[in-house]
Structures are given as structure tokens and as C-alpha cells.
Amino acid sequence: MRKLVAIFGLLALILFCMTVCLCRQIAIAIKIIEAACDAINDIPSSVYFPLLQYFLMLIFIVYWVLVAAYMMSTGDYKQVSGAYTMEWNETMQQAFVYHFFGLLWVMAFIRHMSILILAGAFGTWYWTSIPDKDDGQFDVKHPTPITSSIWRSFCYHTGTVAFGSFIIAVIEFIQYCLEYLKQKQDSEWMQYLISCIQCIVECFERIMEYISRMAYIVTACKGNMFCTAAMESFLAAVDER
């Protein structure tokens, strides 16, 4: 019993020391949370905006499935060893690969455009002067921040989002190709090697997703193109470390 009390006492002491050492960081985190709550309070439509994103994704998935079903129906039935199989010509196979990549690209585009739109709306709130926000003048000066951000994003930054989402779509496509190759392998060593490559690609994808999100924040606030925004956000993250 005494040993258990000593262990918990030591853990409590370590936790107390960590809290004391991280007081500044904790205070900053609290201020960030308070600012985020104020921003959502001033832009309540931001809470419902993700529903629009999911609705658009659902519409595109339905369209994609219908087109894919039509493409699948163009195959020819052939009897092989007493069983019927569906075969497609080379052109249709290439078209289906293109169609699948289009799914990855468009889904990534919708995701990333939503991030940019929200970043633009919250950027508008952030750059509004504190006296105006305290006096409740934000709604007067910016009655429709989400709609305005949508207009700016599609008019000026569609190419930026298309390029960023294209990079993510390529990485995801490579992942699916690796999974297809792994399923075709009989050797366990080859499957293990491909799994290791998949892990590396997955890590790279997460890094690129993080850099993309940070880049869209810079784009929404400064209007930079994707490459310069990604570089600026990456250097800022390195400096903070």
C-alpha cells in the first residue's frame, strides 16, 4: 500500500512540475480556445457549413457510382472453365482508372475547398479590429462571412485548391495501387515490403495534408499561391519548433 501511495505521489509531483513548466503554453491554449469560441459565436453558420461539404460529397458519390455502373455494364460475358466472367477492353479499363482517380481528386478538392472557405471566414473575423468585435460591429461590417469567403475562394483560389488536392489524390492513388499489388503477391516477404512502403506513403500523405491545411490558411489571409503558401507555413512551423 505504501509503495502504491509513493508511486501515485511521484506521478502527482511530476504532473505538478509539468503544469508549472507549461503554464505559458497552457495560458496560450486557453486564449486560443476562447478566441475560437468567440469566432464561432460571431459566425454561427460555420457550424453548419460542413453539412454542405458532406452533401456535395454525397451527390458526387452517387454520380460516380452511376457512371461506374454504366462503365461496368459495357463488358462482355465470357465463359472460362464453366463459369462466366466479365471482361473489358483495354480502353475501358484505362477509362475506369481515370474515373477512379477523378473520384479521389474531386473528393480531396471538396475537402480542401471547405478548409479554405472556413479559413477565409475566420480570417475575416481575426483581422477585424478588437473594438469592432467587442461592440458587436462584426455582423454589421461582415453580414455574410461564409458567403463572401465562398465567392473569394472560387474566384481567386480554385487553382490553388485544385493543385493541392491533386497532390493528395496522387498519393492516395499510389496507396491503392500498392494495395492492389500486395493482394496479387504470393510471397509473404513481398507483401511485407509493400506494407512497409505503404506505411511510408501514409506518413507522407499525412504530412502533405497538414502542410496543405496550413497553406490554405496562408492563402485565405494573404492570397498566396499554393507553393509559396506551403513554404511560408512550413517555415513558420519550423521556426515555432
Side-chain angles (χ1 to χ4, degrees):
M1 185 65 180
R2 292 180 178 178
K3 292 182 178 180
L4 187 61
V5 172
I7 292 173
F8 279 102
L10 179 61
L11 292 176
L13 179 61
I14 294 174
L15 180 61
F16 176 76
C17 294
M18 291 178 60
T19 304
V20 172
C21 295
L22 298 175
C23 279
R24 183 172 177 271
Q25 287 78 0
I26 294 174
I28 293 175
I30 293 174
K31 291 296 183 181
I32 291 175
I33 294 173
E34 290 178 352
C37 293
D38 292 339
I40 293 176
N41 186 52
D42 289 337
I43 314 176
S45 56
S46 62
V47 177
Y48 307 102
F49 179 77
L51 297 177
L52 176 61
Q53 169 191 341
Y54 298 136
F55 179 70
L56 293 177
M57 285 182 170
L58 179 62
I59 291 177
F60 182 77
I61 289 175
V62 172
Y63 161 78
W64 189 90
V65 170
L66 292 176
V67 175
Y70 175 78
M71 296 174 68
M72 297 289 287
S73 67
T74 60
D76 298 324
Y77 283 104
K78 290 189 177 181
Q79 188 174 9
V80 179
S81 301
Y84 285 94
T85 60
M86 184 77 77
E87 293 186 358
W88 297 269
N89 57 42
E90 184 178 354
T91 302
M92 186 54 63
Q93 293 177 9
Q94 294 174 354
F96 189 80
V97 172
Y98 174 81
H99 186 56
F100 179 70
F101 181 79
L103 171 67
L104 301 178
W105 193 359
V106 172
M107 296 298 281
F109 179 87
I110 295 174
R111 273 196 330 267
H112 289 198
M113 181 59 77
S114 299
I115 294 172
L116 179 63
I117 291 171
L118 289 176
F122 286 116
T124 300
W125 179 89
Y126 180 82
W127 295 112
T128 300
S129 63
I130 295 178
D132 288 340
K133 286 185 285 191
D134 292 339
D135 294 339
Q137 294 297 313
F138 178 79
D139 292 337
V140 177
K141 293 188 174 182
H142 307 283
T144 57
I146 293 290
T147 305
S148 300
S149 183
I150 292 174
W151 183 84
R152 289 194 306 269
S153 299
F154 278 98
C155 286
Y156 301 109
H157 307 305
T158 301
T160 297
V161 178
F163 183 72
S165 57
F166 175 78
I167 295 175
I168 300 299
V170 170
I171 299 174
E172 292 177 345
F173 185 75
I174 293 174
Q175 281 281 46
Y176 282 103
C177 291
L178 290 172
E179 182 63 28
Y180 176 79
L181 291 176
K182 186 170 69 173
Q183 297 298 328
K184 291 293 184 179
Q185 299 299 321
D186 296 329
S187 173
E188 293 184 359
W189 285 104
M190 286 300 298
Q191 292 180 355
Y192 175 77
L193 178 61
I194 294 175
S195 297
C196 292
I197 298 174
Q198 283 181 304
C199 182
I200 296 173
V201 175
E202 177 70 20
C203 293
F204 181 67
E205 179 185 354
R206 295 190 179 189
I207 293 172
M208 289 306 302
E209 280 281 7
Y210 174 79
I211 293 176
S212 297
R213 288 196 298 268
M214 297 300 103
Y216 295 138
I217 294 174
V218 175
T219 298
C221 294
K222 297 184 177 181
N224 294 23
M225 60 181 291
F226 181 83
C227 293
T228 58
M231 180 61 67
E232 183 172 342
S233 61
F234 178 76
L235 293 177
V238 171
D239 291 339
E240 290 179 0
R241 296 296 179 183

